[in-house]
Amino acid sequence: MVADDSKVVRIKTGRLLGAHQYQVRMAEDGLDAARQIAESVPDVLVTDVDMPGMGGFELARQVRADPRSAHVPIIMVTSDSEQLRDEAAAAGVNVMLGKPYPEEQLIAHIQRLMGAQSGG
């Protein structure tokens, strides 16, 4: 799942993941993502930090608090900052990626996190 209030970012990330054979669901913000996750838990969540309604940190905490989604790897994309890294770690985020990031780096993190999830 890609949660970002920027349509351009959602489309770009969605195309990248689709090109690597991932099924992608889009969420326009944290509230939309939370609703969708309540219906169907994704394998990985890629989220922005700053979104209207519910931001990435609150979304991450909510995902971690629900036993059905607590295991979902979370990748957060933001302008890189040490303070945000600490807050992300506290919220249960697995990976922080600074903008802009190399596309291969996102794919490598997803592959690694999904491999760890399935025990491989």
Side-chain angles (χ1 to χ4, degrees), residues 3 18 24 33 44 47-48 59 63 68-69 71 78 101 108 111:
V24 183
V44 176
T47 183
D48 190 14
L59 175 61
V63 166
R68 294 182 327 111
S69 61
H71 67 280
T78 185
Y101 57 86
Q111 290 170 340

Side-chain angles (χ1 to χ4, degrees), residues 35-97:
R35 276 194 299 273
Q36 289 189 47
I37 291 169
E39 293 170 16
S40 175
V41 178
D43 292 326
V44 176
L45 172 61
V46 179
T47 183
D48 190 14
V49 172
D50 295 319
M51 296 182 287
M54 179 190 292
F57 292 123
E58 189 178 341
L59 175 61
R61 286 190 288 271
Q62 188 168 321
V63 166
R64 290 290 176 249
D66 184 339
R68 294 182 327 111
S69 61
H71 67 280
V72 173
I74 301 173
I75 298 174
M76 190 168 274
V77 182
T78 185
S79 327
D80 212 354
S81 136
E82 283 308 311
Q83 179 186 348
L84 289 181
R85 282 189 183 281
D86 294 343
E87 194 174 343
V93 172
N94 298 84
V95 174
M96 280 286 281
L97 282 180

